[in-house]
Amino acid sequence: MVDGHIHIERGEYTLEWIGQFVNKGLEQGLDEIWLLEHCYRYREFVPMYDSVCAYSEYVDQWFHKEAGVLQLEDYLRLIHKVRESSFPIRIKFGLEICYFKEFESFVADLTKDRGFDFLLGSVHFVDDFAYDHKAEHWDNMDVDPIYRRYFESSVELIQSGLFDGIAHPDCIKLFGHTPTFSLDEYYEEMAQALSAQNMYAEQSSGINRRCPDTAELGMNQDMLKCMKKHNIKIITVSDAHCPEDVGWKIPELNRLIAEA
């Protein structure tokens, strides 16, 4: 069993901190844990976020509190330290990178040949709108164009060739908003793009953990069926942000994949 999306941001870069994730993974019966950080934590990636900060005062305040607190070399040193040590579980290290089309070359230059096991692309902003921060930010927003741009951006992310996988591919659903049109064509386009790039898609429990009243567990069933139809590799993930959430509902995610 794999948990392929675990954030380590709430602790110091020590072997003891990594050991807490390992211990929880063993407790949950996992064979592999994939550890990562949001790219905005590193000063090198801060320039990508100028437009989203200008769009929203809330995001601007949040960003300048959370972002740019480390340098990428800090993380690379931790990765080297862990790889030089021995742990009773397989550990991979990666980055979750917010996708902005205009920064494709910028990201490629920062990440190429840096020794990451995987790079995960995610759409967290739709034309600078931070759709997944607070439910009230959706007030008076037109849902249909946001959904269209979300999936268009997701396909662009995949076609960029920068990433090994796409994070929580239908995270847009987290607060319970639904468009007036069918998403089947978008699912099909996304699956075909993933197949062409040999990328994986996440089957995530994190959205449901965060919004149990409005978000189903894992991918929408129609999306999941489409992914399976195209033989897309699916990685189960918790999107944990603390050791306690490692492995959360991974068996249930696997069951949904098998039943789709």
Side-chain angles (χ1 to χ4, degrees), residues 61-232:
Q61 292 177 355
W62 163 80
F63 185 80
H64 286 97
K65 178 183 177 183
E66 301 290 337
V69 295
L70 296 167
Q71 291 184 310
L72 198 55
E73 285 298 327
D74 298 327
Y75 188 36
L76 296 175
R77 280 193 291 271
L78 172 69
I79 294 172
H80 178 74
K81 193 188 311 184
V82 172
R83 287 174 177 164
E84 291 291 301
S85 304
S86 178
F87 286 97
I89 196 170
R90 288 192 293 275
I91 303 174
K92 291 185 177 182
F93 281 96
L95 272 180
E96 180 178 355
I97 300 173
C98 288
Y99 177 71
F100 302 98
K101 186 172 180 61
E102 63 270 29
F103 283 99
E104 287 182 5
S105 296
F106 180 85
V107 168
D109 290 342
L110 280 177
T111 57
K112 185 179 180 181
D113 299 328
R114 302 309 295 271
F116 295 111
D117 296 308
F118 65 101
L119 294 177
L120 184 64
S122 58
V123 175
H124 282 288
F125 302 92
V126 177
D127 294 333
D128 295 331
F129 169 50
Y131 69 85
D132 65 343
H133 276 245
K134 287 191 173 185
E136 55 264 35
H137 291 172
W138 281 82
D139 292 349
N140 302 314
M141 300 292 284
D142 189 348
V143 171
D144 281 3
I146 295 172
Y147 259 80
R148 288 193 182 95
R149 287 294 300 131
Y150 173 84
F151 281 101
E152 289 166 0
S153 296
S154 295
V155 171
E156 290 174 345
L157 178 161
I158 296 163
Q159 292 174 337
S160 73
L162 290 169
F163 307 106
D164 300 291
I166 184 169
H168 37 63
D170 61 349
C171 183
I172 190 77
K173 70 187 179 184
L174 82 167
F175 294 127
H177 300 91
T178 55
T180 61
F181 54 88
S182 170
L183 293 170
D184 289 348
E185 289 187 13
Y186 285 111
Y187 296 159
E188 184 72 20
E189 187 177 5
M190 182 183 286
Q192 289 180 10
L194 287 166
S195 178
Q197 294 290 340
N198 193 29
M199 286 171 59
Y200 68 84
E202 287 188 344
Q203 168 77 329
S204 177
S205 62
I207 306 164
N208 174 257
R209 185 178 65 252
R210 181 178 168 189
C211 300
D213 296 330
T214 53
E216 65 207 310
L217 181 66
M219 281 185 258
N220 172 275
Q221 281 295 298
D222 290 335
M223 173 182 266
L224 183 57
K225 290 176 182 177
C226 187
M227 295 294 171
K228 291 192 70 176
K229 181 180 76 170
H230 288 275
N231 297 311
I232 304 304

